[in-house]
Amino acid sequence: MQKKLGSGMAFAALLAGQAMAGQVTEPLRTQYADIGDQMELKIGWQSFKGMEVDEVDDLEGWTAMAEFSIPFADRFRLRLNYPFKTNAEAIVKDDQPMQQGEKVDVEGNGGVYDFLTLTFEHQLVFAEDAGYNLSYYVNGGRDPGRLETTKRDLKIPGEFDPMNHTGMVFGGGVKFDRVHSFGQLLANLGLRYYTDTDDLHPNGDDSFPALDARLAVVFSPWGALHPAVEVTYLGDFSDLNQFSVVPQLLYTYKMLDLKAGAEIGVGGTGNELGAVLQAGIHF
């Protein structure tokens, strides 16, 4: 029995290592706890519709983003995430002093709830020793640029009221992954704290916490493709609730990762339906 257990743990460690080596790529949102030994550069695009923020509803459009990460000292990784462009339109809420129910444009060099962030990761447990990987992360960042709108500013005649005027976010959490008979199981559990934001939280709070939870399964391959599914939540179990299910397909060829999925909202104030695309290289 002892020998079988050791062999199983060794097999799990081998598959976990293959994940970061590019043979089994990461899903779109949930990350491996395994730090790995390769640098990664990712470019992503996601669409959204039906999102609610402070002053507008039915926010529909897309965001493009980039991420670069580098490992060091065998158990650490630095990750820089930059949502560099958002283009959308929305409907002004009925409780606003002007333009109620009117459609407005939203555009700028930044994301909606995703800010420019720098993340430090530290792996504590390795699959070759324990049969699973475990790490923690801490991060911080700020809104990289205002999202300009065509919603008129009541306080300054002739001017428009931007969204996400300012804002910072701080966070931290833990990551876990393990090999099972059906494939790879990944879980990320963290907390974000947004401060000094504007026009972001649906009830108008400028500073607020948000649970950031993600669970994913990367299944055994269909030929060259790995099917996967993720369940994600961002919110405070009150006015901010973003539940999503993201079925997807993952493909890796040598240094190149290609990923495509559909984000399906299952209630709350987040994305009702959208596409998610990502391309990356690891080296």
Side-chain angles (χ1 to χ4, degrees):
M1 187 69 179
Q2 294 279 345
K3 187 174 181 180
K4 287 184 179 180
L5 178 61
S7 299
M9 290 172 62
F11 180 63
L14 175 62
L15 288 183
Q18 289 177 343
M20 287 305 297
Q23 297 180 40
V24 183
T25 188
E26 281 186 336
L28 285 160
R29 302 280 174 76
T30 315
Q31 296 169 346
Y32 284 106
D34 187 352
I35 292 299
D37 59 1
Q38 295 183 317
M39 293 186 291
E40 294 180 303
L41 176 63
K42 303 175 184 177
I43 300 292
W45 178 93
Q46 63 182 55
S47 64
F48 51 84
K49 63 177 296 185
M51 290 181 65
E52 178 186 354
V53 291
D54 181 16
E55 297 180 357
V56 297
D57 206 348
D58 293 327
L59 186 64
E60 179 175 354
W62 55 266
T63 295
M65 60 198 70
E67 179 183 285
F68 176 73
S69 68
I70 182 170
F72 62 97
D74 296 328
R75 60 176 62 234
F76 304 104
R77 181 175 287 268
L78 286 177
R79 190 182 302 269
L80 181 66
N81 184 272
Y82 178 31
F84 58 86
K85 182 67 175 180
T86 291
N87 193 316
E89 57 184 27
I91 302 297
V92 178
K93 288 183 176 179
D94 291 338
D95 61 1
Q96 294 301 295
M98 58 197 309
Q99 291 182 265
Q100 298 95 336
E102 290 188 24
K103 183 176 290 187
V104 294
D105 296 327
V106 179
E107 183 177 359
N109 298 322
V112 183
Y113 283 92
D114 293 318
F115 288 4
L116 173 67
T117 55
L118 179 65
T119 301
F120 169 80
E121 303 173 8
H122 177 197
Q123 186 169 352
L124 301 173
V125 179
F126 292 80
E128 55 264 34
D129 300 322
Y132 63 91
N133 295 303
L134 182 69
S135 63
Y136 72 88
Y137 67 91
V138 292
N139 59 28
R142 63 177 301 112
D143 183 3
R146 299 194 311 183
L147 297 181
E148 305 289 349
T149 80
T150 53
K151 177 176 175 291
R152 292 190 294 274
D153 192 332
L154 184 64
K155 299 177 182 178
I156 309 176
E159 295 292 328
F160 295 112
D161 183 18
M163 179 180 148
N164 285 5
H165 304 200
T166 59
M168 300 185 70
V169 65
F170 300 94
V174 294
K175 301 192 299 182
F176 168 90
D177 69 72
R178 183 169 187 167
V179 175
H180 288 267
S181 58
F182 51 78
Q184 302 265 347
L185 175 67
L186 301 80
N188 299 169
L189 181 62
L191 183 69
R192 301 184 190 181
Y193 186 77
Y194 293 87
T195 181
D196 297 325
T197 65
D198 193 15
D199 299 342
L200 188 58
H201 194 285
N203 72 5
D205 290 345
D206 290 340
S207 298
F208 56 93
L211 179 70
D212 186 2
R214 312 174 191 188
L215 180 67
V217 176
V218 180
F219 295 100
S220 300
W222 298 343
L225 296 175
H226 280 83
V229 63
E230 293 177 277
V231 179
T232 69
Y233 175 76
L234 179 68
D236 57 11
F237 301 104
S238 181
D239 296 310
L240 174 61
N241 283 294
Q242 300 184 4
F243 295 95
S244 295
V245 176
V246 189
Q248 58 201 263
L249 290 174
L250 315 173
Y251 173 75
T252 294
Y253 178 73
K254 295 184 179 179
M255 298 172 57
L256 178 66
D257 296 329
L258 299 175
K259 313 174 190 182
E263 182 171 17
I264 305 167
V266 289
T269 59
N271 187 6
E272 293 180 358
L273 181 65
V276 190
L277 304 174
Q278 189 180 98
I281 57 172
H282 44 86
F283 47 92

